[in-house]
Amino acid sequence: MDLSQITEAIQRDAVWVVFVNVLLQQLGLPVPAVPTLLVAGSLAAGSGQAGAMLAAAVLASVVADWVWYLAGHIFGYRVLSGLCRLSINPGSCVTQTEARFMRWGLWSLVVAKFVPGFSTVAPPIAGSLRMPLPGFLVAAAAGAALWAGGAILAGWWLRDELQGALAAMSRHGTTMIVGLALALGGWIAWKLWQRYRFEKLAAIPHITPSELIEAMASDAPPLFLDLRGPALIATGGAVDGARAAEIDKLLLVVGDWPLQRPIVTMCACPGDATAVRAAHVLSDLGYAAARPLKGGYEAWLAANRPA
């Protein structure tokens, strides 16, 4: 199917194409929706058809967000951890996502569509934090309306330019495909390099939960730092014997802790990413015995669960 056939399909079934495309993207599939919204907007015959496209996009987005909200409500932060694990570079996905949500609150759902990667992970956080469903749906719908409405309006406003660009792409399809493939390949290579760098950082000695339990019961227990965010601590509860810490404020927490004494860092994120980063920061500060907890918070819970 060439570009002219794709354009004809969008023009013939614009509302359904927009609905399905937005639904799949918001559910997490790698199918970009903005190009479809732009093209659909440029092909809109009038305000009525544009309004129908916008309604379809908002409905699809809210349905997908509601599905993720329910998943977060039922399964908690395990959903967010799973989503971040699928990322090419999951290093600080959980920490950054939670920080945005805590900083922006309900408004995070309005702006989520405009932040790459945040659109899919914001709804399960809202569900995990038991955000009231009516407020969630209103905020999700408002964000979807701004996002989709802006794209459709831009497509209609730039309809002549877009139609000209589509015609040019149709005439030079092979060149455009090669260019897009090279750009995509460059982006993937950069993300894989970031993952490689993180894996190199993660190749440091860890401490297992059983070793930590034994160390905490000794006469000289290590300093145990809990690097989960405030929302995670609020929903999961504090960990006995651990100090809540933020990676940007480690010095405030370690205080006058002796440089030779061991420190254990713990997070609730894929690959123990934040705990690994914290251990490296502490090592750079002179704490030679800083080690991340292998498996993080989930492994700690499992090790302390009664048999």
Side-chain angles (χ1 to χ4, degrees):
M1 179 179 287
D2 59 25
L3 285 171
S4 61
Q5 291 175 308
I6 294 174
T7 303
E8 290 174 6
I10 295 176
Q11 193 168 23
R12 184 176 60 252
D13 302 305
V15 173
W16 279 108
V17 170
V18 166
F19 179 86
V20 172
N21 195 174
V22 171
L23 179 66
L24 293 178
Q25 190 217 35
Q26 296 303 308
L27 285 174
L29 275 69
V31 283
V34 171
T36 300
L37 293 170
L38 288 169
V39 174
S42 72
L43 298 174
S47 59
Q49 188 178 19
M53 295 175 187
L54 177 58
V58 171
L59 178 61
S61 181
V62 171
V63 168
D65 287 348
W66 177 66
V67 170
W68 283 120
Y69 173 92
L70 289 179
H73 190 81
I74 296 171
F75 300 108
Y77 268 74
R78 284 174 292 174
V79 175
L80 177 60
S81 183
L83 286 172
C84 288
R85 192 172 285 111
L86 295 175
S87 169
I88 292 178
N89 179 33
S92 56
C93 175
V94 172
T95 303
Q96 290 180 349
T97 301
E98 187 193 15
R100 287 192 185 117
F101 196 88
M102 295 301 294
R103 184 165 62 250
W104 299 335
L106 191 64
W107 285 100
S108 64
L109 296 168
V110 178
V111 303
K113 306 300 181 199
F114 300 94
V115 182
F118 190 46
S119 178
T120 305
V121 295
I125 293 181
S128 298
L129 295 178
R130 303 297 193 267
M131 177 181 285
L133 183 58
F136 167 81
L137 293 176
V138 170
L146 290 173
W147 168 71
I152 292 172
L153 180 61
W156 180 84
W157 189 33
L158 301 172
R159 56 191 180 279
D160 294 335
E161 289 81 357
L162 278 171
Q163 293 305 312
L166 288 172
M169 290 172 66
S170 184
R171 292 193 302 269
H172 306 287
T174 302
T175 303
M176 293 296 298
I177 290 173
V178 171
L180 291 173
L182 288 174
L184 179 61
W187 179 81
I188 292 176
W190 169 246
K191 289 297 184 180
L192 290 174
W193 169 248
Q194 288 183 312
R195 168 169 280 205
Y196 169 77
R197 288 180 58 199
F198 170 72
E199 289 176 349
K200 292 282 287 183
L201 287 174
I204 62 174
H206 286 57
I207 184 171
T208 65
S210 58
E211 290 172 338
L212 178 57
I213 291 173
E214 184 177 345
M216 293 295 288
S218 68
D219 295 332
L223 177 61
F224 188 14
L225 301 182
D226 184 354
L227 289 149
R228 294 176 297 155
L232 267 173
I233 293 177
T235 55
V239 172
D240 290 339
R243 296 185 191 178
E246 297 180 28
I247 196 165
D248 296 328
K249 302 176 181 178
L250 287 174
L251 275 177
L252 297 177
V253 180
V254 296
D256 56 355
W257 188 258
L259 294 177
Q260 298 76 23
R261 293 278 301 279
I263 301 176
V264 177
T265 58
M266 178 188 71
C267 68
C269 44
D272 306 323
T274 304
V276 167
R277 286 178 56 208
H280 278 284
V281 170
L282 290 168
S283 295
D284 293 339
L285 292 172
Y287 293 94
R291 290 192 292 170
L293 177 64
K294 188 175 183 61
Y297 176 66
E298 291 293 332
W300 178 252
L301 281 184
N304 286 274
R305 192 172 294 129

